[in-house]
Amino acid sequence: MRYNAVIFDFDGTICDTGEGIIKSAAYALDAFGYNVPEQNELTCFIGPPLLVTFQEKFGADAAKADELVKKFRERYTNKGVFESKLYDGIKELLIALKKDNIKLGIASSKPQDYIETLLDHFGIRSYFDAVCGVTFTADCESKISIISRCQKALEIPGNECLMVGDKKYDIEGAKENIIDSAGVLWGYGTKFEHLDAGAKFIVDKINDIEAIALGFYEQTEEVQGIFSGNIINVHKDIITLVDGTEAVREVVDHPGGVAIVGLTDNNEVLLVRQFRYPYKETIYEIPAGKLEKGEDPLEAGKREFREECGATAEHFVPFGELYPTPGYCGEIIRLFCATGLTFGEQDLDEDEYLDVIKMPFSDCVAKIMNGEIKDAKTIIGILKLKELKKL
């Protein structure tokens, strides 16, 4: 199913506000003579109301907790609020969701003034149709109530809304409002926390939220290994679709690779010609190779270019990524364009036999268009360069 509104938590979901919150909590505790724990033990302040945390975690009575909150805000208002950053990819997600005509809201236990300050600071206020935080004088409002307010402000039925958050309070609050929820793993919650709270979805990639909102997302439930080789692993996965039905996906895991469009000063492209066993055919390709575990793609590109073509380049320009066979394989190929070439000796693998060809750029394009060059990464790399050469 498609969701017509997405409601976001703020701290730990849209914005990493941890540094400012933790330092301000430590500031308040120290000011009142509490033994201040290590910073990783103060993440409990991220998400729930401060009054509750000071009482439940540090044993403060209601009056003392109120004083601690005031001391916290003494630092946070002037400094801590700006010790924050958007999670990478959040702004792009908001832009994509608005293009999908999905309404967006925020339901947070953070004071409204702080939320508005940061939305303006990061230039994302215009993407939200409703922003629901708390006031400084009523900051113990339950997450259930805040989510309810936001859903009503968006004027979208609860069964058409998705709540997105990083803590159990977000998931439990959504559940009480009969709203589906997605627990995210880039904030301060854990997979087990989301499972226990009853999240419908658990995701670790920011752009998964758009897939869920559009009704496309497929959640892995079980992985069954089939084959493990030197390069690939094959497994069969049981997945759940957004509507709750199960399906099976057969998947090939691949470590990924790099490919290089090498262009000489004479406007020639470096191609390798080799026999490819799966097709039982000799084909033209741009030089390419497999990424080693943990290897930087740029360094891998330089290595493969040197080994296959005996070439080094003065300039290596990223050309983006491509997914060669997304229906069953997770391989990602990182493309580069190499210019300012110098040549030395090849360093081929023992089982690698190929010729290096300098082909005029126009001939490469012609061979692509007449079907003589069939390799996907080569076609994409050369045609991308053709378009960029027009600029």
Side-chain angles (χ1 to χ4, degrees), residues 109-148:
S109 297
K110 195 180 194 71
Q112 183 95 10
D113 287 356
Y114 291 149
I115 299 172
E116 298 281 1
T117 295
L118 287 171
L119 292 177
D120 291 337
H121 178 68
F122 292 115
I124 58 172
R125 178 62 182 87
S126 62
Y127 299 115
F128 292 97
D129 302 283
V131 177
C132 296
V134 298
T135 67
F136 289 123
T137 57
D139 59 353
C140 275
E141 182 182 3
S142 72
K143 200 60 179 277
I144 298 169
S145 173
I146 300 168
I147 293 172
S148 176

Side-chain angles (χ1 to χ4, degrees), residues 3-5 103 150-161:
Y3 295 95
N4 290 318
K103 284 191 171 184
C150 190
Q151 179 254 316
K152 289 173 183 174
L154 291 171
E155 299 181 322
I156 300 292
N159 62 354
E160 296 178 19
C161 293

Side-chain angles (χ1 to χ4, degrees), residues 259-263 286 316-322 333-339 361 377 380-389:
I260 306 95
V261 182
L263 191 66
I286 55 176
F316 259 84
V317 179
F319 255 24
E321 299 178 343
L322 66 96
I333 298 176
R334 283 80 172 180
L335 285 170
F336 295 91
C337 180
T339 57
F361 186 79
K377 64 183 179 294
I380 292 169
I382 289 172
L383 292 186
K384 193 165 188 176
L385 179 59
K386 179 176 180 288
E387 288 302 307
L388 290 172
K389 283 164 69 73

Side-chain angles (χ1 to χ4, degrees), residues 26-35 64 66-72:
Y27 172 83
L29 290 167
D30 182 65
F32 283 90
Y34 284 83
N35 182 29
K64 180 62 70 175
D66 187 61
E67 292 182 63
L68 284 161
V69 170
K70 290 177 181 176
K71 182 59 71 171
F72 172 97

Side-chain angles (χ1 to χ4, degrees), residues 92-257:
E92 291 76 10
L93 171 64
L94 300 177
I95 292 170
L97 290 171
K98 295 306 288 185
K99 286 182 179 178
D100 296 328
N101 294 316
I102 293 171
K103 284 191 171 184
L104 303 182
I106 290 174
S108 172
S109 297
K110 195 180 194 71
Q112 183 95 10
D113 287 356
Y114 291 149
I115 299 172
E116 298 281 1
T117 295
L118 287 171
L119 292 177
D120 291 337
H121 178 68
F122 292 115
I124 58 172
R125 178 62 182 87
S126 62
Y127 299 115
F128 292 97
D129 302 283
V131 177
C132 296
V134 298
T135 67
F136 289 123
T137 57
D139 59 353
C140 275
E141 182 182 3
S142 72
K143 200 60 179 277
I144 298 169
S145 173
I146 300 168
I147 293 172
S148 176
R149 282 199 290 116
C150 190
Q151 179 254 316
K152 289 173 183 174
L154 291 171
E155 299 181 322
I156 300 292
N159 62 354
E160 296 178 19
C161 293
L162 176 73
M163 177 67 205
V164 179
D166 72 313
K167 298 292 288 181
K168 66 179 182 179
Y169 310 102
D170 307 308
I171 309 306
E172 292 169 349
K175 197 172 182 179
E176 289 295 321
N177 282 286
I178 317 177
I179 291 174
D180 288 342
S181 60
V184 304
L185 300 179
W186 58 79
Y188 292 88
T190 66
K191 181 177 181 179
F192 300 106
E193 180 177 351
H194 296 317
L195 284 170
D196 288 343
K200 183 172 182 178
F201 307 98
I202 301 175
V203 300
D204 57 8
K205 292 171 62 179
I206 284 177
N207 57 11
D208 285 343
I209 299 302
E210 184 186 18
I212 293 172
L214 294 175
F216 299 157
Y217 189 65
E218 300 179 354
Q219 183 157 289
T220 305
E221 304 295 346
E222 182 182 346
V223 178
Q224 302 172 359
I226 296 174
F227 170 79
S228 181
N230 293 326
I231 297 176
I232 64 168
N233 295 316
V234 182
H235 50 94
K236 182 172 75 172
D237 295 0
I238 309 298
I239 60 104
T240 300
L241 305 175
V242 172
D243 65 1
T245 58
E246 284 193 350
V248 174
R249 298 287 182 260
E250 295 175 351
V251 183
V252 176
D253 288 336
H254 187 285

Side-chain angles (χ1 to χ4, degrees), residues 278-303:
Y279 298 101
K280 302 292 194 297
E281 188 176 335
T282 301
I283 65 174
Y284 292 106
E285 300 174 60
I286 55 176
K290 177 174 67 71
L291 275 171
E292 301 299 332
K293 186 175 181 180
E295 188 175 18
D296 177 72
L298 175 58
E299 295 306 313
K302 292 178 179 179
R303 171 178 53 77

